[in-house]
Amino acid sequence: MTTQKHDNELSASQQVTNWLQGFDQALRTKDIDQAAEYFEAEGYWRDLVSFTWNIKTLEGQDEIKDMLSHTLETAEPYNWQLEEDAVENDGVIEAWITFNTKVAKGYGHLRLRNGKAWTLLTTMTELKDFPEKRKRLRPKGAEHGADPDRLTWQEKREIEEKNLGYSEQPYCLVIGGGQGGIGLGARLRQLDVPTIVIDKQPRPGDTWRNRYKSLCLHDPVWYDHMPYLPFPENWPVFTPKDKIGDWLEMYTKVMELNYWGATECISAEFDEELQQWNVEVDRAGEPLVLHPKQLVLATGMSGLPNIPEISGMEDFAGEQHHSSQHPGGEAYRGKKCIVLGANNSAHDICAALWENGADVTMIQRSSTHIIKSDTLMDEVLSGLYSEEAVENGMTTYKADLTFGSIPFKIMPQFHEPVYRKVAELDADFYQKLTDAGFMLDFGEDHTGLFMKYLRRGSGYYIDVGASELVAEGKIKLKSGVSIDHIKTNSVVLTDGTELEADLIVYATGYGSMNGWAAKIISQEVADKVGKCWGMGSDTKKDPGPWEGELRNMWKPTQQEALWFHGGNLHQSRHYSQYLSLQLKARMEGIETPVYGLQEVHHLA
């Protein structure tokens, strides 16, 4: 390694080049101890499939050594190169890099401090023998010349649609046709992996169309692009639900997905002997059994709706439903409405009910993190996902990788100062909410929205107007209590307060995604794979031990040939690439030795 004095005399790019050359040489000679020395003692290496055939973060030199001792022989990495000029800020050099393994091309991100790696991100971008057919490899579309047996593009598609699932079996079946399943389907389509995406709703996008009328995406457009086909430049910043529904339907068609709407999965069972799934489906009244080799549950980041069991529910004379079934506020003018919950859906529903002339009360059981939408965009997202970022040369791909290059262990230290600033900027806003009795938090360590989302997938609201209604008392608030029991025409809270009610909405969230595995496959398989989401931060709803990555997401699970795919639009877009490459490699018989398969510590 070069000395610090010498490093200071070299450009940032030359320091990165020297590091890459030394690291490359250590890997080529299989000097694992020397390779680990290129990292800080507590340095981080996050690998997305390229070395580990897994999504895995190695923390510290000992873990890096162990990973290399298990993967170096099969990975055979080489040709580490600086992709573009490195940049230095506050003593940290950042660089985009490329590399190769035996079977794949890779792309990565490196942070150097004092000549050693603080963080290294390595990602698989392409299987060398099976590249996506795009850019220079795109299909011609037309077959020039004379051929009396010529089939048109449309005729070939019709034959495929007729046969797949009947005379020919899909290699992969994706259960769930929302943005996650559709985006993954597009990735697999580009890799020539025969895939069927099924959803019980009739049309792609119906999952969005069927939600309450006022629903919009709370994330801005730059954060929400689908793979391959970004939204046009005139697309609204916050997409209304029906517009995203229409986009997904269009996307499904133009990306030529084999999408079966009005199709419900009845059951699934893995045949160990044949190494395939037997999946019973009902396709618009037609019973079928499909036999995919790989099964993906793409049901979002959540499982089945959490509906609390409250004494007296069965006696209630009014209407009650989970937030996922809420039709909107139009039918409740003049009605007395109770919303149990205080996160995103609860706020949206309360605001829509108030706009439609309902008398609405929010029941806040525990504290909630609130961040104003404009503040989120300006202070948190703008560097990576904004029009300014695009104008400064930031691509969606690099934004995703930049976000992904920060190991979860140190992510809090990136977010904590940002949310300290947010608290100061919007102090008056937060004071008004507190004065109204609303219970606020910024997470247990003041790290705000994204850490709460990654740890537990709940406990926050991106304010697009409802908070002002709460602060002004237009949305009534009862905080620090819950519903003790329900009477025929009212609810009684745990503090003894009785509230008249015509409607009760349970905005009480969802269970773990493995709840879908229990429903579709078996409780035994659900317990075998364990809890989905969270990383073991030992904070509320994310119990330890520390796992370092999101549990079971986009990577191999303890159940062979079963995968989970979900998250927000950003995560679905980014991680669908790595899931599709894992599935393609298995279809082609490429050796995929998984390093660090996640252990199961929690069942739900």
Side-chain angles (χ1 to χ4, degrees):
M1 300 289 287
T2 54
T3 65
Q4 177 59 28
K5 181 179 179 181
H6 188 203
D7 282 347
N8 288 338
E9 297 169 357
L10 299 175
S11 69
S13 294
Q14 189 58 56
Q15 290 183 58
V16 171
T17 298
N18 290 348
W19 188 94
L20 292 171
Q21 289 174 347
F23 186 57
D24 189 16
Q25 178 64 21
L27 295 179
R28 284 175 182 269
T29 58
K30 296 183 171 54
D31 190 338
I32 291 173
D33 288 341
Q34 182 63 33
E37 282 294 321
Y38 279 84
F39 290 79
E40 295 179 357
E42 296 182 3
Y44 299 86
W45 183 344
R46 186 172 193 229
D47 182 61
L48 306 183
V49 184
S50 58
F51 278 69
T52 60
W53 291 103
N54 199 355
I55 293 177
K56 188 74 176 173
T57 297
L58 297 318
E59 301 175 359
Q61 291 183 355
D62 287 344
E63 289 191 13
I64 289 168
K65 286 185 207 176
D66 188 74
M67 184 272 282
L68 287 174
S69 70
H70 286 87
T71 63
L72 203 49
E73 288 286 344
T74 52
E76 297 182 20
Y78 66 97
N79 196 28
W80 297 77
Q81 299 286 336
L82 178 64
E83 172 73 2
E84 57 190 66
D85 287 344
V87 296
E88 182 170 2
N89 286 302
D90 298 326
V92 178
I93 295 173
E94 295 193 48
W96 296 103
I97 62 174
T98 60
F99 63 97
N100 283 265
T101 67
K102 180 180 179 180
V103 301
K105 294 180 180 180
Y107 195 74
H109 183 273
L110 175 67
R111 289 185 182 88
L112 288 183
R113 292 193 302 199
N114 300 321
K116 292 198 174 191
W118 177 27
T119 70
L120 173 64
L121 171 72
T122 50
T123 75
M124 182 181 292
T125 60
E126 180 181 290
L127 293 166
K128 292 178 186 175
D129 292 340
F130 306 99
E132 293 186 5
K133 293 181 174 62
R134 56 192 183 116
K135 296 185 177 180
R136 291 182 178 273
L137 298 176
R138 70 176 77 216
K140 286 186 176 180
E143 297 178 16
H144 296 156
D147 181 359
D149 298 319
R150 180 196 307 278
L151 293 175
T152 66
W153 186 284
Q154 181 62 22
E155 286 169 335
K156 291 176 182 177
R157 280 289 293 137
E158 289 170 353
I159 291 171
E160 179 184 16
E161 290 173 351
K162 178 183 176 182
N163 291 341
L164 194 63
Y166 295 89
S167 60
E168 298 173 12
Q169 288 299 311
Y171 179 76
C172 183
L173 178 66
V174 179
I175 299 175
Q179 67 266 16
I182 287 171
L184 178 61
R187 297 274 194 196
L188 293 169
R189 180 78 182 176
Q190 300 311 302
L191 288 169
D192 291 326
V193 176
T195 300
I196 296 174
V197 180
I198 68 170
D199 196 277
K200 64 182 179 181
Q201 300 294 338
R203 294 162 55 200
D206 277 351
T207 305
W208 287 95
R209 295 187 189 97
N210 294 341
R211 298 296 303 278
Y212 51 92
K213 189 173 79 170
S214 62
L215 178 64
C216 286
L217 292 180
H218 288 188
D219 299 318
V221 62
W222 307 277
Y223 189 77
D224 291 334
H225 295 301
M226 296 287 287
Y228 309 114
L229 195 60
F231 296 117
E233 292 178 353
N234 66 340
W235 199 260
V237 174
F238 300 106
T239 309
K241 71 178 183 74
D242 295 288
K243 194 169 181 65
I244 191 69
D246 290 347
W247 180 265
L248 292 173
E249 186 168 24
M250 176 279 301
Y251 185 96
T252 301
K253 187 169 183 64
V254 300
M255 298 304 288
E256 300 181 8
L257 305 193
N258 295 299
Y259 187 101
W260 290 7
T263 302
E264 185 172 3
C265 180
I266 307 302
S267 69
E269 182 181 17
F270 188 65
D271 188 319
E272 296 280 355
E273 185 177 345
L274 296 177
Q275 289 291 290
Q276 68 182 26
W277 289 90
N278 301 319
V279 185
E280 291 183 73
V281 303
D282 181 313
R283 187 184 188 191
E286 177 189 8
L288 282 171
V289 179
L290 301 174
H291 302 289
K293 295 292 186 181
Q294 307 286 341
L295 185 65
V296 180
L297 299 185
T299 52
M301 57 161 282
S302 305
L304 301 169
N306 275 333
I307 301 177
E309 294 184 6
I310 302 173
S311 175
M313 290 176 78
E314 67 280 2
D315 299 324
F316 186 59
E319 185 180 347
Q320 54 184 329
H321 50 242
H322 188 264
S323 57
S324 60
Q325 302 300 315
H326 184 64
E330 296 77 14
Y332 303 103
R333 180 172 297 276
K335 303 288 187 181
K336 294 189 179 295
C337 305
I338 306 296
V339 178
L340 180 62
N343 296 335
N344 263 337
S345 292
H347 278 83
D348 282 351
I349 290 168
C350 284
L353 287 166
W354 179 85
E355 286 178 346
N356 282 278
D359 178 325
V360 57
T361 301
M362 176 188 290
I363 309 297
Q364 184 188 25
R365 298 171 294 173
S366 57
S367 64
T368 307
H369 171 58
I370 307 285
I371 184 167
K372 296 174 76 170
S373 176
D374 288 347
T375 306
L376 176 67
M377 290 175 61
D378 293 342
E379 301 298 330
V380 183
L381 293 174
S382 60
L384 296 178
Y385 302 101
S386 67
E387 201 62 42
E388 292 75 22
V390 172
E391 291 169 357
N392 290 331
M394 178 59 72
T395 65
T396 305
Y397 180 58
K398 281 192 174 178
D400 291 348
L401 287 174
T402 301
F403 194 87
S405 72
I406 304 171
F408 290 133
K409 189 68 170 284
I410 59 174
M411 193 173 280
Q413 71 189 58
F414 285 76
H415 287 266
E416 193 260 355
V418 174
Y419 286 94
R420 294 283 178 198
K421 183 179 179 183
V422 167
E424 292 178 11
L425 284 172
D426 292 331
D428 291 345
F429 165 75
Y430 291 119
Q431 188 61 53
K432 282 196 290 185
L433 273 174
T434 302
D435 290 346
F438 194 88
M439 299 186 297
L440 288 166
D441 71 57
F442 277 82
E444 293 176 33
D445 47 4
H446 213 280
T447 52
L449 176 69
F450 285 108
M451 295 313 303
K452 265 204 162 186
Y453 171 72
L454 293 167
R455 290 165 172 170
R456 52 181 282 190
S458 65
Y460 51 84
Y461 168 56
I462 301 172
D463 178 40
V464 292
S467 289
E468 197 67 33
L469 297 176
V470 172
E472 294 174 357
K474 293 175 180 176
I475 294 173
K476 298 173 184 176
L477 176 69
K478 292 291 292 184
S479 59
V481 296
S482 188
I483 299 175
D484 181 76
H485 62 277
I486 298 173
K487 295 184 175 182
T488 306
N489 298 298
S490 64
V491 300
V492 179
L493 306 183
T494 50
D495 66 355
T497 303
E498 184 170 355
L499 301 174
E500 291 182 53
D502 301 301
L503 168 71
I504 306 170
V505 180
Y506 300 106
T508 44
Y510 301 83
S512 170
M513 277 183 77
N514 69 344
W516 286 107
K519 182 176 181 179
I520 291 169
I521 308 168
S522 68
Q523 188 63 53
E524 180 184 8
V525 167
D527 291 346
K528 184 177 180 181
V529 299
K531 180 180 174 68
C532 298
W533 210 259
M535 61 194 79
S537 63
D538 206 22
T539 57
K540 187 175 181 181
K541 297 189 178 181
D542 184 29
W546 176 247
E547 302 191 42
E549 292 287 349
L550 292 180
R551 301 180 186 95
N552 283 314
M553 299 304 299
W554 317 293
K555 60 185 178 181
T557 68
Q558 291 286 351
Q559 171 57 55
E560 187 176 1
L562 177 64
W563 311 77
F564 294 88
H565 175 63
N568 57 30
L569 279 150
H570 151 248
Q571 290 171 306
S572 291
R573 172 186 65 243
H574 185 213
Y575 289 100
S576 60
Q577 177 179 12
Y578 311 114
L579 178 49
S580 67
L581 289 167
Q582 292 174 82
L583 293 167
K584 175 66 172 178
R586 283 162 173 78
M587 187 183 90
E588 300 297 347
I590 294 172
E591 188 179 2
T592 58
V594 176
Y595 173 79
L597 183 65
Q598 178 196 296
E599 296 178 21
V600 175
H601 299 291
H602 306 284
L603 302 186

